[in-house]
């Protein structure tokens, strides 16, 4: 059975930090302890040998998110690479719960990395828009959830995915047929007590929430997409996602061999922190905690200057003497995500940590980097038409998906 220390057994640890698909919080405003999370969830840390294999097998430099440990944990990623090296194919699966009009930078991270994987390995991708989930959890109407799904699809398409290898679907539109059959197979294998242990459901939760996990599970199985993978039920699946989604796929991996499928493999990221500090992840419901892909250059500048938590000292004199605390400094952490140049990043870290560079200088560089990313994304999104969304979401074969 899939290792899982999170089935309601360690109450004290749960109180210290809560990480699940709906809540990410740490007691007394502390930082997420990712080592504890790896131990609690039972996944593995992504080591340098796997990153080196990716470079060797694809002939591409590892993505910045791999080089800097943004994607830091995995389940069976080595087996995916073993299979690929033998000449076997796999497919990618990721998703988005459309709860807001536009995405923030934290939402972009799995999509930017998934695009890298698609391009590097030349494999197909399915992207699930869980409009049904957000309808149930966020008290949105069905119609509003569907509208947000299409709006979010435009942002996803703007990341540059290859339409000849990509199928985007919303649950409200696609669930049925073979997909639904797999949902029933999964549901029959998971007891209510098991679901409560994994997801923390209570007697106050409506039954829609309890019924949802199989919907997110079954895109892991190729037979859920007969228009893409007919007759290829043993095709492996790799899921890039943030680590708060791990509970869904611990459940999925436990069930998969019992219904005749490979366990999906995962490669999991840390959270993109809020501007105010590393007490959790950037939150779409708290606008001042997030940089949105719709923000203007002025809004980005104002948010960074006003809200981005600094590890610099209280005065220039003290800063020159002691330097910045890089462990808590949000501008440095954001540059670690989005500044491509390793040499420049190391230079900034060294100078800022020694006090030779001031907080204002670091924030200025961050504003430049994020403004460029957001402006490029805006231009790409403006080019995405409703017809393009329809094309990506059309149920169709992808004859060249492994070419």
């Amino acid at each position: 059975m899939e290792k899982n220390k999170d089935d309601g057994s360690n109450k004290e640890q749960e109180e210290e930090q809560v990480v699940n698909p709906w809540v990410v919080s740490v007691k007394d405003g502390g930082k997420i302890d990712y080592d504890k999370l790896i131990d609690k969830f039972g996944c593995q840390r992504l080591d340098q040998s796997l990153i080196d294999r990716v470079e060797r097998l694809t002939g591409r430099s590892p993505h910045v998110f791999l080089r800097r440990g943004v994607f830091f944990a995995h389940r069976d990623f080595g087996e995916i690479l073993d299979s690929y090296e033998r000449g076997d194919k796999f497919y990618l699966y990721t998703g988005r719960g459309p709860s807001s009009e536009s995405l923030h930078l934290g939402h972009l991270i799995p999509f930017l990395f998934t695009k890298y994987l698609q391009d590097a390995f030349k494999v197909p991708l399915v992207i699930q828009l869980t409009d049904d989930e957000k309808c149930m959890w966020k008290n949105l109407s069905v119609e509003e959830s569907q509208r947000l799904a299409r709006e979010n699809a435009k942002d996803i398409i703007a990341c540059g995915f290859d339409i000849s290898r990509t199928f985007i679907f919303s649950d409200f539109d696609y669930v049925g047929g073979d997909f639904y059959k797999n949902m029933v197979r999964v549901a029959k294998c998971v007891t209510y007590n098991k679901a409560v242990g994994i997801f923390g459901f209570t007697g106050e939760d409506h039954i829609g929430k309890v019924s949802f996990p199989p919907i997110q599970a079954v895109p892991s199985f190729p037979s859920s997409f007969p228009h893409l993978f007919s007759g290829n039920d043993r095709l492996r699946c790799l899921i890039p996602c943030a680590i708060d989604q791990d509970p869904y796929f611990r459940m999925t991996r436990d069930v998969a061999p019992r219904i005749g499928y490979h366990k999906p493999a995962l490669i999991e990221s840390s959270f993109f922190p809020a501007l105010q500090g590393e007490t959790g992840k950037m939150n779409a419901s708290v606008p001042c905690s997030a940089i949105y892909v719709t923000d203007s250059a002025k809004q980005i500048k104002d948010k960074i200057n006003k809200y981005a938590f600094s590890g610099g000292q209280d005065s220039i004199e003290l800063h020159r003497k002691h330097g910045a605390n890089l462990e808590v400094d949000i501008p440095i952490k954001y540059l670690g995500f989005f500044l491509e140049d390793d040499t420049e990043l190391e230079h900034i870290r060294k100078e800022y940590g020694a006090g030779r560079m001031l907080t204002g200088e670091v924030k200025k560089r961050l504003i430049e980097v994020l403004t460029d990313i957001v402006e490029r994304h805006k231009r790409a999104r403006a080019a995405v038409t409703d017809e393009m969304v329809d094309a990506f979401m059309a149920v169709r074969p992808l004859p060249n998906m492994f070419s």
Side-chain angles (χ1 to χ4, degrees):
M1 181 175 288
E2 191 76 10
K3 180 184 177 185
N4 177 16
K5 299 183 181 180
D6 193 35
D7 291 354
S9 60
N10 196 332
K11 301 273 175 129
E12 182 178 347
Q13 192 174 32
E14 278 192 344
E15 289 175 2
E16 290 176 4
Q17 60 179 26
V18 177
V19 176
N20 63 45
W22 312 288
V23 178
V24 177
S25 66
V26 185
K27 187 178 181 181
D28 298 327
K31 290 171 58 177
I32 297 290
D33 186 327
Y34 288 105
D35 288 326
K36 280 186 178 179
L37 208 54
I38 284 175
D39 182 60
K40 181 181 179 183
F41 284 179
C43 47
Q44 295 79 44
R45 186 165 283 279
L46 192 66
D47 62 28
Q48 188 61 43
S49 66
L50 288 174
I51 297 171
D52 292 341
R53 283 190 73 192
V54 171
E55 182 172 19
R56 178 172 60 82
L57 289 172
T58 65
R60 289 178 178 243
S61 175
H63 194 278
V64 64
F65 294 162
L66 278 179
R67 299 199 307 270
R68 296 183 188 155
V70 174
F71 279 80
F72 72 101
H74 74 100
R75 293 180 183 272
D76 293 346
F77 185 50
E79 291 189 17
I80 288 286
L81 297 181
D82 291 343
S83 178
Y84 184 81
E85 194 163 18
R86 292 193 299 267
D88 298 330
K89 302 298 184 181
F90 65 92
Y91 73 99
L92 296 163
Y93 156 40
T94 195
R96 160 78 183 138
S99 60
S100 59
E101 187 84 30
S102 64
L103 276 59
H104 60 56
L105 290 180
H107 293 143
L108 283 187
I109 286 167
F111 293 111
L112 295 174
F113 185 64
T114 300
K115 175 179 163 31
Y116 158 80
L117 292 173
Q118 183 184 58
D119 293 345
F121 288 98
K122 297 180 174 58
V123 291
L125 161 68
V126 297
I127 299 175
Q128 180 181 42
L129 299 174
T130 56
D131 43 7
D132 52 345
E133 177 202 19
K134 294 307 176 185
C135 177
M136 291 187 284
W137 261 269
K138 297 291 186 179
N139 199 29
L140 298 170
S141 70
V142 170
E143 293 75 19
E144 178 65 0
S145 298
Q146 290 181 295
R147 185 187 72 82
L148 292 175
R150 284 187 66 87
E151 289 302 308
N152 285 190
K154 293 176 182 177
D155 280 309
I156 293 167
I157 292 167
C159 292
F161 291 107
D162 182 349
I163 194 169
S164 71
R165 291 193 177 99
T166 305
F167 172 53
I168 302 175
F169 67 98
S170 80
D171 288 342
F172 277 134
D173 291 336
Y174 184 73
V175 171
D178 291 296
F179 192 101
Y180 184 69
K181 292 174 186 176
N182 278 335
M183 285 170 50
V184 172
R185 292 181 181 114
V186 170
K188 287 176 65 178
C189 292
V190 182
T191 66
Y192 177 70
N193 284 342
K194 182 72 172 178
V196 168
I198 295 173
F199 299 105
F201 296 129
T202 72
E204 300 302 310
D205 288 314
H206 58 68
I207 61 173
K209 292 183 178 182
V210 180
S211 69
F212 177 76
I215 302 174
Q216 187 158 324
V218 301
S220 309
F221 307 142
S223 66
S224 296
F225 306 101
H227 63 288
L228 298 178
F229 307 126
S230 179
N232 202 353
D233 289 355
R234 299 297 290 169
L235 189 67
R236 289 184 177 272
C237 175
L238 173 63
I239 305 169
C241 62
I243 198 165
D244 59 343
Q245 300 300 302
D246 190 88
Y248 281 118
F249 301 113
R250 292 202 305 277
M251 179 197 77
T252 307
R253 286 168 54 85
D254 189 41
V255 169
R258 297 158 63 186
I259 59 176
Y261 298 114
H262 284 299
K263 294 182 178 184
L266 283 83
I267 184 165
E268 300 176 312
S269 73
S270 58
F271 302 120
F272 192 61
L275 285 165
Q276 289 84 351
E278 278 198 297
T279 57
K281 62 179 181 178
M282 188 174 275
N283 190 338
S285 64
V286 183
C288 66
S289 78
I291 303 293
Y292 287 87
V293 295
T294 53
D295 281 349
S296 67
K298 183 179 185 305
Q299 285 174 313
I300 294 170
K301 180 179 179 180
D302 290 346
K303 285 182 178 182
I304 296 297
N305 283 331
K306 184 175 181 180
Y307 297 114
F309 186 83
S310 170
Q313 303 297 329
D314 292 337
S315 69
I316 291 178
E317 291 75 20
L318 287 173
H319 186 81
R320 295 295 190 199
K321 182 178 180 180
H322 299 292
N325 180 355
L326 303 185
E327 290 301 309
V328 300
D329 192 88
I330 289 298
I332 282 290
K333 293 187 182 298
Y334 279 24
L335 287 171
F337 279 82
F338 289 116
L339 180 60
E340 288 279 349
D341 190 323
D342 292 337
T343 302
E344 182 184 0
L345 178 65
E346 184 54 36
H347 173 76
I348 292 172
R349 290 179 58 86
K350 182 178 179 181
E351 294 297 298
Y352 189 38
R356 292 185 292 270
M357 198 173 200
L358 299 177
T359 297
E361 296 173 278
V362 178
K363 286 188 173 184
K364 181 176 182 293
R365 183 65 182 118
L366 176 62
I367 290 165
E368 293 170 351
V369 170
L370 296 188
T371 300
D372 179 63
I373 290 169
V374 170
E375 290 301 318
R376 281 191 282 116
H377 184 85
K378 284 182 185 176
R379 290 193 294 272
R381 193 190 192 281
V384 178
T385 64
D386 286 330
E387 289 74 20
M388 289 175 65
V389 175
D390 291 339
F392 269 92
M393 298 183 76
V395 178
R396 68 207 190 277
L398 300 175
N400 300 313
M401 60 186 174
F402 290 116
S403 298

